[in-house]
Amino acid sequence: MSDRIFGGIGLMLAALYAFAATTIPDSFMSDAVGPRAFPYGIAAVMALSSVWFLFKPDPAPDWPRMGRIAEIGAAALVMIAYAQLLPEIGFVIATAFAAAYLTWRLGSSLLQSAIIGVGTSVGIYVIFHLVLGLSLARGPFGF
């Protein structure tokens, strides 16, 4: 039963995602595929995955304990905080903190998590901003 509920919610989210993709305006520099192709693809994969859960549910799903559910909730809150803080503190700082927290919860030590968070943040910044020239959220220090 829980898999079918999950599949139904996923199918509704896929439909909302596809609808939101229709609101993406065409750019003056659009290619043959257009700016909506990638979101439509994600919506299609999500819809197909959700349909699988609707028609092939697990007869006896193994639910995680409350502690694990709380950790999943904390990780979701970190991602929401990341999205909210990204324009305020910038890509490098926000990504470093989010990546450090998530890797710590996945089992790294605090020192390893800090190194991974900073390394991930700076590495992505170098590749996407400095090499590829893409715009990332600037923080109070200009990066």
Side-chain angles (χ1 to χ4, degrees), residues 81-92 94-95 137-139:
Y82 174 74
Q84 295 297 315
L85 291 173
L86 194 59
E88 304 298 323
I89 63 175
F91 176 83
V92 174
T95 302
R138 290 181 179 244

Side-chain angles (χ1 to χ4, degrees), residues 7 11 18 25 52 67 106 119:
L11 198 57
W52 176 266
L106 287 171

Side-chain angles (χ1 to χ4, degrees), residues 49-100:
S49 301
S50 298
V51 167
W52 176 266
F53 282 109
L54 285 172
F55 292 113
K56 288 284 202 173
D58 187 358
D62 186 25
W63 284 86
R65 295 184 179 156
M66 262 331 245
R68 296 301 276 166
I69 291 175
E71 283 194 34
I72 293 168
L77 288 175
V78 165
M79 295 309 294
I80 291 168
Y82 174 74
Q84 295 297 315
L85 291 173
L86 194 59
E88 304 298 323
I89 63 175
F91 176 83
V92 174
I93 296 170
T95 302
F97 279 112

Side-chain angles (χ1 to χ4, degrees), residues 28-41:
F28 69 92
M29 293 179 17
S30 95
D31 56 9
V33 177
R36 294 181 203 96
F38 186 69
Y40 284 153

Side-chain angles (χ1 to χ4, degrees), residues 7 14 27 35 45 51 63 65 74 78 81 86 95 98 103-104 107 118 130 141:
S27 172
V45 169
V51 167
W63 284 86
R65 295 184 179 156
V78 165
L86 194 59
T95 302
T103 56
W104 173 62
V118 170
L130 299 180
F141 304 111

